[in-house]
Amino acid sequence: MDHITCPVCGNPSKLKFKLKFNIYKCPTCGLYTSDAGFDFSFKSSLEEGPREIGLKQLRFDNFETIVKALEEAKPGQITGLEIGTGNGWWLKVCQDGGIDCIGIEPETSHQAYHKANRLNVRYGFYPEVDVKTKNGYDFIIFNDVFEHIKDIDELLSALKADLADDGVLVINLPMSDGFFYRTAILLNRFGISSFLTRMWQFNFHSPHMNYFNQKNLKMLLTKHGFKNTADMALKSVNFSTVKERISSDSSVNKFKAGVLTSGIALLKPVIESSKPDTRVFFFIKE
Ligand SMILES: [Zn+2]
């Protein structure tokens, strides 16, 4: 196929890159969409150990930023739902901060951590897993998950029903106008496609389906009757742990990992002066 329908604005989205999966770009709203599928075997080229060291501090810092903003938006006792809990770190930060949040997660690979920390996790896919509450949730959050979901229209209808009338929808995701994504596109033009493949997580069992920017994400949510109340940049790379992040990808050999690590360290000033790679958005129902 040389084009598909853009899931945000409905215009034809043109074939832009042919990697393991095709990537399309909408000339109207700028959304990038892939035709990747979800691999239910749950096997990917990812080693959990080193990845965990690289990401943990960064994620905890970002989650604390989000918790602070959420507490300002909704003072008092609040109840939340996290879709795609993964390792359970968001639920852990909520638990430490006295916020009541339950999680939904299709995989059971982090079950030991969930159990050890007494985190409230239901296993399965949203919205099939029944997590209904009487008046809806005060907040529903996606942490690096929203970009993995194929049918975003169906998802947003379900979310609207599960969110309280004055609830907050929080979406934290990577940006297509951030430094890393733009660098990956540039490298792909020079014939190096591995970075772009990595950005889309095409070698992982749950690749990205869409890559948003500020404008098209807000357009999508507006279409579904949500209003953007705030958005802010999050930290995306902690240079002290960049080596662990790169070496956690088993498809990158040790030599290449070393070269990449030094390359990224050299680019540090450039990265810090460009657009944020990760942002968090807050929406309420209109
Ligand atoms: Zn579009």
Side-chain angles (χ1 to χ4, degrees):
M1 272 192 296
D2 61 356
H3 66 264
I4 56 166
T5 302
C6 171
V8 167
C9 71
N11 286 303
S13 198
K14 289 178 186 157
L15 179 60
K16 194 91 180 157
F17 309 110
K18 279 183 146 178
L19 301 174
K20 184 177 180 181
F21 301 104
N22 292 330
I23 300 170
Y24 299 83
K25 189 186 180 186
C26 174
T28 312
C29 73
L31 181 78
Y32 289 89
T33 303
S34 80
D35 59 6
F38 193 94
D39 175 5
F40 286 89
S41 71
F42 291 152
K43 281 199 185 91
S44 63
S45 56
L46 193 72
E47 291 165 18
E48 287 298 340
R51 182 177 149 90
E52 181 148 329
I53 301 162
L55 283 178
K56 198 165 188 176
Q57 193 52 50
L58 177 72
R59 289 290 154 87
F60 272 71
D61 289 351
N62 282 339
F63 289 164
E64 269 150 30
T65 305
I66 297 170
V67 163
K68 221 176 131 203
L70 199 53
E71 283 172 340
E72 276 166 24
K74 294 210 58 82
Q77 193 56 47
I78 51 172
T79 305
L81 170 68
E82 184 191 32
I83 298 172
T85 286
N87 47 36
W89 293 342
W90 166 260
L91 297 186
K92 179 73 185 137
V93 170
C94 284
Q95 188 184 62
D96 293 346
I99 294 173
D100 181 18
C101 188
I102 74 164
I104 297 182
E105 171 56 41
E107 294 180 52
T108 51
S109 52
H110 295 286
Q111 209 166 8
Y113 181 87
H114 300 160
K115 275 196 173 154
N117 289 282
R118 294 195 206 135
L119 304 173
N120 190 355
V121 182
R122 312 278 166 84
Y123 299 95
F125 284 94
Y126 179 83
E128 283 90 57
V129 177
D130 185 20
V131 284
K132 296 256 178 294
T133 57
K134 204 169 152 228
N135 300 314
Y137 291 93
D138 297 312
F139 72 92
I140 297 180
I141 186 165
F142 290 84
N143 292 303
D144 290 309
V145 167
F146 196 79
E147 66 279 15
H148 294 267
I149 295 167
K150 203 170 190 84
D151 197 337
I152 41 183
D153 285 324
E154 189 189 314
L155 170 76
L156 284 161
S157 312
L159 284 176
K160 226 174 163 186
D162 285 331
L163 195 63
D165 288 340
D166 60 349
V168 184
L169 173 62
V170 186
I171 303 174
N172 147 17
L173 78 180
M175 294 278 100
S176 66
D177 50 5
F179 174 83
F180 281 115
Y181 192 80
R182 293 168 73 163
T183 304
I185 283 180
L186 189 70
L187 288 168
N188 186 64
R189 245 168 233 150
F190 288 104
I192 305 162
S193 62
S194 57
F195 285 79
L196 199 55
T197 297
R198 180 65 182 79
M199 294 301 286
W200 281 88
Q201 304 189 4
F202 282 157
N203 289 329
F204 299 156
H205 69 261
S206 172
H208 290 189
M209 299 297 164
N210 294 293
Y211 239 103
F212 294 90
N213 61 26
Q214 276 169 290
K215 193 185 94 182
N216 53 38
L217 183 70
K218 288 175 190 177
M219 272 174 76
L220 172 71
L221 274 289
T222 304
K223 189 174 92 178
H224 286 274
F226 286 91
K227 194 173 103 182
N228 180 233
T229 52
D231 75 87
M232 59 180 94
L234 293 174
K235 287 200 263 178
S236 57
V237 169
N238 182 330
F239 283 90
S240 62
T241 57
V242 76
K243 202 169 167 214
E244 286 90 341
R245 281 193 76 172
I246 291 171
S247 62
S248 72
D249 186 336
S250 57
S251 68
V252 177
N253 69 38
K254 280 212 166 64
F255 174 74
K256 203 172 155 195
V259 172
L260 287 178
T261 306
S262 351
I264 290 173
L266 285 174
L267 287 170
K268 189 179 170 185
V270 185
I271 296 168
E272 284 173 345
S273 66
S274 45
K275 279 206 174 189
D277 288 286
T278 313
R279 295 190 83 88
V280 59
F281 297 80
F282 297 82
F283 296 95
I284 53 168
K285 290 189 200 177
E286 285 264 41

